[in-house]
Amino acid sequence: MAKRPILIHPDPRLKSEAAPVGSVSGEIKALAADMLETMYDAPGIGLAAPQVGVLSRLLVMDCVKEEDQPPRPMVLVDPQIVWSSEEQSVYEEGCLSIPDQYADVERPAEVEVTWTSLEGGACSERFSGLWATCVQHEIDHLDGRLFIDYLKPLKRQMITRKMVKLKRERARA
Ligand code: K1U
Ligand code: ZN
């Protein structure tokens, strides 16, 4: 297992649609392990393959927040939202590709998602609460969409300018 560098917005790979994985290879299993390590180290509650520069439809997440609860690392290959609730919920989202920027985003409160497991099995689950917000945020990454795309243009431009500056500073350091 190895940590991988996380791409920072703006980057064309974060605006691209990722390609279906299809059958799960050893390379995909290794990528999933690396992504979990990278997510826990960040720390974060989710990570999508395009954020580490791989344009494949793979995401990892673990939204267990309670310290007395065991972790629940999840790996979703080729996830698809097959049902969304009419009820909406608002959550202040962040993104590991847009460090230190947070904004309220409204999304369906519950979603049902189907995916393939790393063992190649068909899986399905209804997510609510933070899990629902996170899985939608991560599937957006697979479609080249960022949470700032839901914001007003001025706010989005302001955040993008801050990220350009941050990348310039990091490149100089
Ligand atoms: O996809 C990502 O960039 C990861 C992102 C996921 C996410 C956060 C909030 C709402 C929806 C999706 C993050 O994990 S940002 C970091 C974060 O939320 C966090 C970090 C440490 C402890 C708890 C949360
Ligand atoms: Zn993100």
Side-chain angles (χ1 to χ4, degrees), residues 9-29:
H9 166 72
D11 186 296
R13 288 165 288 183
L14 294 171
K15 299 303 294 172
S16 307
E17 194 179 337
V21 169
S23 61
V24 177
S25 62
E27 206 178 319
I28 286 293
K29 287 182 184 172

Side-chain angles (χ1 to χ4, degrees), residues 43-47 51 91 93-97 133-134 137-138 141:
I45 55 172
L47 191 68
Q51 293 181 277
Y91 191 86
E93 298 192 15
C95 181
L96 297 175
S97 295
T133 298
C134 188
H137 176 115
E138 300 310 331
H141 275 302

Side-chain angles (χ1 to χ4, degrees), residues 18-21 48 56-61 75-82 112-117 123 127 135-136 138-140 142-143:
V21 169
S56 297
R57 300 188 77 81
L58 170 69
L59 68 86
V60 299
M61 60 178 183
V75 178
L76 281 64
V77 176
D78 292 336
Q80 275 189 297
I81 296 172
V82 294
E112 189 175 331
V113 178
T114 62
W115 71 93
T116 304
S117 71
C123 304
F127 293 103
V135 75
Q136 291 175 81
E138 300 310 331
I139 291 173
D140 270 354
L142 305 182
D143 292 327

Side-chain angles (χ1 to χ4, degrees), residues 36 39-40 44 61-74 131:
L36 279 169
M39 178 191 81
Y40 284 123
M61 60 178 183
D62 184 348
C63 298
V64 173
K65 271 186 157 176
E66 303 79 15
E67 294 205 342
D68 58 339
Q69 293 295 311
R72 188 187 178 205
M74 296 192 75
W131 287 92

